[in-house]
Amino acid sequence: FPVKLHQMLHECSDEIASFAPDGRSFCIRNKERLVNEVLPKYFHQNKFASFTRQLNVYGFRRMTGNSFQHELFLRDHPEYLEFIRRVGVKRGEQVM
């Protein structure tokens, strides 16, 4: 998931989604176009809720609006992506 997300942000239009100027977070600028044009290409889904759930499972934090951040998800450092892991959930617990 993190590798595809990084690739998606580099390849999609800045009008849809892009890294922040400092490269430490990313912002979704056009949710409708992201859902209809971009998500199916990279993740075989077209539901924003499923996309944000995946972000949560991988430890991304929602910042203001539709901005997300993870300490190891950096624009110019794809080598850190291998260290991003799914957050473990015990049986019977729900991911919020």
Side-chain angles (χ1 to χ4, degrees):
F1 180 83
V3 172
K4 286 183 179 182
L5 178 61
H6 202 268
Q7 180 182 6
M8 178 193 87
L9 290 169
H10 279 288
E11 294 176 359
C12 82
S13 167
D14 288 349
E15 295 173 358
I16 299 173
S18 66
F19 278 100
D22 66 2
R24 300 182 58 81
S25 62
F26 70 93
C27 181
I28 297 166
R29 302 184 193 303
N30 189 322
K31 183 173 142 181
E32 185 176 319
R33 285 187 65 195
L34 179 82
V35 168
N36 294 325
E37 299 172 23
V38 180
L39 291 184
K41 179 179 174 184
Y42 291 91
F43 301 107
H44 307 292
Q45 65 178 330
N46 62 350
K47 293 184 180 178
F48 190 72
S50 297
F51 176 69
T52 57
R53 191 174 305 116
Q54 283 296 309
L55 290 172
N56 291 333
V57 167
Y58 279 92
F60 284 82
R61 291 188 331 244
R62 178 177 238 141
M63 299 168 67
T64 58
N66 282 328
S67 294
F68 298 89
Q69 187 267 339
H70 188 288
E71 63 185 14
L72 296 174
F73 192 81
L74 306 170
R75 178 182 51 219
D76 297 324
H77 294 282
E79 67 273 14
Y80 297 155
L81 298 175
E82 68 180 283
F83 300 109
I84 298 175
R85 299 282 184 242
R86 289 175 64 102
V87 176
V89 177
K90 294 179 184 177
R91 277 198 162 172
E93 290 185 359
Q94 292 181 337
V95 176
M96 297 281 186

